[in-house]
Amino acid sequence: MPPRLPVIAHWACPSTPATRVSIFSFRRCASSSATSPEIYDVVCVGGGPAGLSLLTGLRNSPITSGLKVALIDGQDLQKSRLPKDASLGSFSNRCSSLTPASVRNLQEIGAWKHANASRIQPYQEMQVWDGVSDARISFDWDTARPLLTPRKPSQPTTIAYMIENVNTTSALLGRLEELGGVATFSSTKVESIELGKDAEDLDLSSWPILTLSNGKTLAARLLVGADGANSPVRSFAGIESRGWDYGRHGVVASLKLEGPGRGGAEHKIAYQRFLPTGPIAMLPLPGNMSTLVWSTTPERAAKLKSLSPNDFIAMVNAGFRLSTADLEYLHSIPSGQAEEIAWRGKHTPINEAQIPTNVVEVQAGTVANFPLKMRHADTYTGERVALVGDAAHTIHPLAGQGLNQGQGDAAALVKTIEHAVTTGQDIGSLLALEQYNSDRYAENNAMLGVVDKLHRLYAVESGPIVGLRSLGLRAVDAMGPLKGFFMNRAAGGA
Ligand SMILES: Cc1cc2nc3c(=O)[nH]c(=O)nc-3n(C[C@H](O)[C@H](O)[C@H](O)COP(=O)(O)OP(=O)(O)OC[C@H]3O[C@@H](n4cnc5c(N)ncnc54)[C@H](O)[C@@H]3O)c2cc1C
């Protein structure tokens, strides 16, 4: 259906011809003065992967490209760009596994071609096992293909793509630059958000008015909170966010392995071992590089960070090889882990074919830790407000879904705004935004629930639950269609 008159864009444009402008817009345009806020259709607070994806989607769509949009980020957005001379011997420690569904969205909005492809690593296999019982499940598209009947041509052959977050944001910024038309306020914090006033010449009483650290004020027909877990936009909207802290930290690091991995350069494998303190995961990057996400207690995270590079490398190798009792002891000694692990390794039977190849180097300055929490906002929408990404939900990283959920949110919100523009609705009205909430809330809630339960299930160290979960894991591994279902879900498919 051809788009109807893009009323909203015209409302926001002072130079719009009078014949296309509503009385309301004319009053607003007439009222602008030096002290009035600048009027925007969409103001997005947060230039992380979710906010950038939303704005790129809006600018890319012929239906919404006429909207007047602004981006505000407290950080310098130049730092969200991958340096042109980035070497393949060093990688950022903030990497994510992008599902094929997220990659498809990035392709559709024209951003994927701006990513540095040489720094992206697709992987075709996943090995996941229980650190207590050793029960294992493997996901491998090559062997699973016959199980996925009928297999659609669009079904992926890659489980996911490992990419540095900065490569994703860099690609989105590159595409936004190409599209143009975004008023960007970088290194500019939102200091306050208030409702506008019911002035004589301009009724902004339901509009969020943002005061920025550079002294400017902006009025938003629709204010998007893409401003991360502590979202000021969510606070302004009075939307509660509920959940809990896991009492765990995610330790990340960029690692060099002794080779390209067990499947060689063409068949990359991701590994995750569930330990009672949390999973340790090693995800492939190009060449011999890999990225670590080790979820563990804050005390153990602090210990890992304090170790010498040699002891740290030995601990990561031990995390995939030694018993939980061994690991507990190794965390309790102040130093000398490398020596201790070398000795213990000689006395522990290890099936090297099923675990990652040895880490030989940790990239200097990449060991860091992040507190892990689960949060879900009560709703993603309010009058003239929508939340996307971590502002709406934060999830344990064990399934690598947080950034992907944000990409799904951004794509869905673009569709909702397109529909509102096409049907002549006010894009900030709750009614127009409702579709976005119903498209995303239940889906994200289900994912948050599954991941939270997995975390709890694997935190149990002994007793019948260990037997039952191992039985469950082995059963799913043996059941073709169910395994195919999980693989499709992990890939972001239906
Ligand atoms: C250890 C770890 C591993 C992870 N691994 C994965 C993975 O494999 N796959 C995956 O999908 N996800 C993963 N995630 C999750 C993923 O990193 C996040 O979900 C994602 O980065 C969130 O993106 P966002 O754009 O919603 O928010 P953010 O990236 O947090 O961006 C928010 C932006 O808002 C800005 N902002 C905030 N307040 C203000 C203000 N007052 N004024 C102006 N600007 C403001 C900030 O500067 C920031 O740029 C992982 C997370 C962790 C901790």
Side-chain angles (χ1 to χ4, degrees), residues 159-361:
I159 292 178
Y161 299 77
M162 284 312 297
I163 179 168
E164 296 155 290
N165 291 358
V166 70
N167 198 359
T168 305
T169 50
S170 201
L172 286 161
L173 283 167
R175 175 62 175 150
L176 269 183
E177 204 169 76
E178 190 175 77
L179 291 163
V182 180
T184 304
F185 301 90
S186 175
S187 308
T188 309
K189 270 206 162 0
V190 173
E191 304 235 295
S192 69
I193 313 173
E194 289 165 343
L195 278 182
K197 296 202 169 54
D198 183 5
E200 207 179 283
D201 56 346
L202 187 63
D203 182 9
L204 293 177
S205 57
S206 71
W207 286 48
I209 311 290
L210 298 93
T211 304
L212 309 186
S213 54
N214 62 4
K216 279 190 186 289
T217 55
L218 313 185
R221 181 182 299 278
L222 172 61
L223 173 61
V224 177
D227 44 356
N230 301 318
S231 168
V233 171
R234 194 182 60 224
S235 306
F236 156 76
I239 299 172
E240 284 287 330
S241 177
R242 295 165 210 275
W244 41 83
D245 294 350
Y246 282 113
R248 294 286 183 272
H249 280 210
V251 178
V252 295
S254 304
L255 307 169
K256 189 171 179 188
L257 309 184
E258 63 191 356
R262 304 221 177 268
E266 298 306 315
H267 183 91
K268 289 279 191 163
I269 308 169
Y271 296 90
Q272 179 151 275
R273 184 189 190 202
F274 279 92
L275 299 167
T277 42
I280 175 169
M282 180 108 78
L283 301 137
L285 291 172
N288 295 1
M289 298 297 289
S290 231
T291 185
L292 173 81
V293 184
W294 189 344
S295 309
T296 190
T297 61
E299 298 74 29
R300 289 189 180 196
K303 164 59 66 72
L304 286 168
K305 260 183 79 175
S306 72
L307 296 177
S308 68
N310 249 2
D311 286 341
F312 179 81
I313 291 166
M315 282 300 276
V316 173
N317 288 328
F320 288 97
R321 289 164 173 80
L322 297 188
S323 71
T324 54
D326 278 341
L327 290 172
E328 192 170 337
Y329 171 73
L330 290 161
H331 272 104
S332 72
I333 56 173
S335 61
Q337 278 80 0
E339 235 170 89
E340 185 68 32
I341 289 164
W343 182 82
R344 280 169 194 253
K346 283 186 201 141
H347 300 91
T348 309
I350 295 165
N351 183 355
E352 288 287 339
Q354 293 194 318
I355 52 179
T357 44
N358 270 305
V359 178
V360 291
E361 206 178 303

Side-chain angles (χ1 to χ4, degrees), residues 45-51 72-75 94-97 165 188-190 226-228 232 250 252 293 370 372 388-391 397 400-404:
V45 183
I72 304 159
D73 201 297
Q75 295 187 10
R94 294 305 311 272
C95 294
S96 292
S97 56
N165 291 358
T188 309
K189 270 206 162 0
V190 173
D227 44 356
V252 295
V293 184
F370 300 90
L372 304 180
V388 294
D390 276 21
Q401 289 297 320
L403 195 147
N404 289 292

Side-chain angles (χ1 to χ4, degrees), residues 56 65 68 105 107 124 152 162 178 232 273 293 346 351 365 422 464 489:
T56 308
S65 60
K68 188 175 173 191
N105 177 52
Q107 283 167 339
Q124 295 75 25
K152 296 182 210 127
M162 284 312 297
E178 190 175 77
R273 184 189 190 202
V293 184
K346 283 186 201 141
N351 183 355
T422 306
R489 297 294 301 178

